[in-house]
Amino acid sequence: MASAARAWVLHVDLDQFIAAVEVLRHPELAGRPLIVGARGDPTERGVVSTASYEARAFGVGSGMPLRTAARKVPDAVFLPVDAEEYNAVSSVVMDTLRGLDGAVVEVLGWDEAFVGVETDAPEGFARRIQAAVLEATGLHCSVGIGDNKVRAKIATGFAKPRGVYRLTEDTWFEVMGDRPTEALWGVGAKTSRKLAALGIITVRDLAEASARELAERLGPTMGPYFRRLGRGAGSAVVSAEPWVARGHGRETTFQANLTDWQEVTQEVRRLAARVTDDIAAERRPAVRVGLKVRYAPFETHTTSRALDAPTFDVNTIADAAAALVARFDHRRAVRLIGVRAEMAEPGDPVPADSDSGKADSGRPESGRPEPGRPAPA
């Protein structure tokens, strides 16, 4: 007797996406350690956007400085980031997913999406996804199956590469109970250390921890949230609503460290002008400005402040960003600067300065932005 159809969440993750796209364009690179990042020059400053499985075997990972990657794999092939090509291929993938009968697709980024579907054979549907994506693009993907987004996302890790894996409430502790808390989606090394200081080492420890103690030690919101993660709890709602950016940011990596903090402030103002252009194009004013500074050799700090009122005014945004410079250690050399503006919600009133605040797009720029993974389109 066939089982009844029920709702499932599938997490689709393209395997080594950026590297795989480059191999499609350069078949001669198949099987070689391939590293994609910045301008593709490992003698310059920049970070790894992705690495092929062959390069990962040597310990290369996303976010690693290109120079470090080159030391780990001297014979690797380095290529520059081509965001336009990755966007184009990603669009084909997402359109392919949307074309599957009954599928609701929630895009997460270039290379991943949640798919909601009602079926009595989720593994079969997952294989349909893999076949459809491969036919449309020549790319392979892994699919995690879950009864919610958290379990589907984590299941994909067990599916890689090119596989399918199911993780549900019934199997959660059998699979995850004895794993370290850092194995959870949303728990990084820093949070894992905080939990370890409380005697919480494994996923099961976290699930069985006192909600009151977690709230007291980690905050009334995050404490209970992490406990729910330990139980694999999460939303099962997959939405096809278009993703809306919360903000826009620009970054510059310097090939030589900046030690003059007046120059740092000038660069902050230049980046703020570019960010103002970005938010003006969306007709959504800035409500908060943030500043990221990466000290040499590779230590990153961030800070932000709310604006007095929503605005497109480039001087107001630049002044706010420049004021944040005072919060950093001016005795240290700077490797990277980033400026970000968080925007008002769509539909909120547009301030009267919307036409006068557009930044001068012809301003000179020092350094080169580090391409990163974009927000979903």
Side-chain angles (χ1 to χ4, degrees):
M1 181 178 177
S3 58
R6 55 165 289 187
W8 292 96
V9 178
L10 280 64
H11 177 252
V12 180
D13 196 347
L14 292 156
D15 297 333
Q16 55 176 4
F17 172 64
I18 294 175
V21 171
E22 293 295 351
V23 170
L24 286 178
R25 297 203 289 183
H26 308 283
E28 70 277 8
L29 299 180
R32 298 187 61 183
L34 173 62
I35 298 169
V36 182
R39 295 192 290 191
D41 185 348
T43 67
E44 294 184 350
R45 285 184 167 175
V47 298
V48 175
S49 293
T50 197
S52 67
Y53 290 134
E54 292 80 8
R56 295 180 197 183
F58 290 90
V60 176
S62 298
M64 177 180 291
L66 290 177
R67 291 173 179 173
T68 302
R71 288 195 295 270
K72 288 179 176 289
V73 198
D75 60 345
V77 176
F78 286 82
L79 292 175
V81 172
D82 186 348
E84 185 175 343
E85 177 68 12
Y86 311 145
N87 273 323
V89 176
S90 177
S91 294
V92 175
V93 171
M94 301 309 163
D95 287 343
T96 299
L97 297 179
R98 295 185 185 102
L100 296 171
D101 290 342
V104 178
V105 179
E106 183 175 326
V107 178
L108 300 180
W110 269 342
D111 60 347
E112 60 178 328
F114 285 119
V115 176
V117 65
E118 289 194 10
T119 179
D120 58 359
E123 281 80 7
F125 197 89
R127 295 296 182 191
R128 282 180 57 198
I129 287 174
Q130 291 175 318
V133 170
L134 182 61
E135 181 180 0
T137 65
L139 298 173
H140 293 277
C141 63
S142 301
V143 183
I145 300 169
D147 43 13
N148 63 31
K149 291 179 177 178
V150 168
R151 295 188 181 116
K153 171 76 173 180
I154 293 174
T156 312
F158 296 101
K160 284 189 168 292
R162 305 186 184 185
V164 173
Y165 192 90
R166 185 196 294 200
L167 182 61
T168 65
E169 182 179 9
D170 293 338
T171 60
W172 175 255
F173 287 110
E174 175 187 344
V175 174
M176 296 295 296
D178 295 330
R179 295 181 181 273
T181 56
E182 201 170 345
L184 293 168
W185 179 33
V187 177
K190 185 176 180 180
T191 299
S192 182
R193 288 193 295 270
K194 289 182 179 179
L195 293 172
L198 301 177
I200 299 170
I201 308 300
T202 68
V203 171
R204 191 184 306 275
D205 291 339
L206 182 56
E208 295 175 351
S210 163
R212 176 178 296 179
E213 182 180 3
L214 287 174
E216 290 175 352
R217 302 296 291 271
L218 300 177
T221 299
M222 297 309 297
Y225 166 75
F226 287 128
R227 185 170 182 265
R228 291 194 297 272
L229 275 186
R231 300 181 175 199
S235 172
V237 178
V238 178
S239 172
E241 289 295 316
W243 185 88
V244 177
R246 291 181 57 189
H248 284 286
R250 296 281 185 166
E251 294 183 355
T252 297
T253 296
F254 305 101
Q255 297 306 313
N257 296 335
L258 294 187
T259 56
D260 182 342
W261 279 75
Q262 287 187 342
E263 189 175 355
V264 169
T265 302
Q266 291 173 356
E267 296 299 335
V268 167
R269 287 186 173 278
R270 291 190 179 99
L271 289 172
R274 297 183 65 203
V275 169
T276 304
D277 277 344
D278 293 335
I279 66 169
E282 290 202 27
R283 306 268 311 163
R284 291 170 58 200
V287 294
R288 175 176 287 272
V289 174
L291 179 61
K292 174 166 73 172
V293 170
R294 180 168 294 154
Y295 299 118
F298 209 79
E299 180 184 328
T300 305
H301 293 260
T302 61
T303 189
S304 67
R305 56 159 291 189
L307 297 173
D308 292 336
T311 184
F312 291 104
D313 184 70
V314 63
N315 293 320
T316 300
I317 294 170
D319 287 347
L324 294 175
V325 172
R327 300 184 183 181
F328 292 87
D329 185 350
H330 291 201
R331 297 168 298 178
R332 302 185 64 177
V334 174
R335 173 192 177 101
L336 173 147
I337 298 170
V339 174
R340 177 175 174 81
E342 293 185 15
M343 300 181 292
E345 292 295 322
D348 284 356
V350 176
D353 62 358
S354 60
D355 293 326
S356 60
K358 191 171 177 59
D360 178 6
S361 59
R363 291 173 184 248
E365 176 188 349
S366 175
R368 184 179 180 88
E370 277 185 327
R373 180 169 166 164

